[in-house]
Amino acid sequence: MRGKDFWMDFVRTYFMIVTLITLVMCVVGQVVMPDQTFGYKAFTAPLIYALVGTVPNIVLYSKHELKVKELLVRKVLQLILIEAGVLFVALYGTSDDWWDSSFLLILAGSVLVVYVVGTLIAWIGDLMSAKSLTRDLLEFQRANEA
């Protein structure tokens, strides 16, 4: 991915991750801490975590088309960087409750779920775009053959 496409994907990914993190926080929060209430400051958490989770997209930047093996290696590296970044922010930017191993496991698992769902959503979007482009190209070819 290059230039303008990279930055458009970066912004789209950021807002998708904000939404997914908010959803995960809502579901996990209702299960783990149903009586907990938050102030307005809690609204910033998904924004910060999404930024930390989106910055590692830089490892996917390439001036040439990546081979499948290269892409997989970079995706694994991206996941590791995201996990490390989110855990770092959680451990050093919030309360002492996050130092509990069960919270860390839930957080790491949530990051993995958001990563997989986000990757699947992006893949489905790319697949739909590719099918639409292929269909348009076939129609264009048929129109020019006549």
Side-chain angles (χ1 to χ4, degrees), residues 9 12-13 16 75 116-129:
D9 182 65
R12 183 177 52 242
T13 300
M16 179 177 55
K75 293 294 270 182
V116 168
V117 170
T119 300
L120 285 174
I121 289 171
W123 181 76
I124 289 169
D126 291 345
L127 182 65
M128 290 171 51
S129 294

Side-chain angles (χ1 to χ4, degrees), residues 25-97:
M25 287 175 66
C26 180
V27 171
V28 171
Q30 289 179 7
V31 172
V32 177
M33 295 181 277
D35 298 329
Q36 181 77 33
T37 58
F38 296 103
Y40 289 110
K41 188 177 178 183
F43 286 109
T44 61
L47 302 173
I48 293 167
Y49 285 123
L51 183 61
V52 170
T54 307
V55 168
N57 280 7
I58 293 171
V59 300
L60 298 178
Y61 182 82
S62 176
K63 291 186 178 188
H64 66 278
E65 191 71 29
L66 295 174
K67 297 175 185 169
V68 175
K69 188 175 181 179
E70 291 174 326
L71 180 62
L72 290 175
V73 168
R74 289 183 187 210
K75 293 294 270 182
V76 169
L77 178 60
Q78 179 189 33
L79 177 59
I80 291 168
L81 292 171
I82 291 169
E83 288 278 4
V86 169
L87 290 174
F88 180 82
V89 169
L91 290 173
Y92 295 103
T94 60
S95 70
D96 292 336
D97 293 338

Side-chain angles (χ1 to χ4, degrees), residues 106-138:
I106 290 170
L107 181 61
S110 298
V111 169
L112 180 62
V113 168
V114 167
Y115 182 82
V116 168
V117 170
T119 300
L120 285 174
I121 289 171
W123 181 76
I124 289 169
D126 291 345
L127 182 65
M128 290 171 51
S129 294
K131 284 183 179 184
S132 175
L133 184 59
T134 300
R135 187 174 44 253
D136 291 346
L137 285 171
L138 288 173

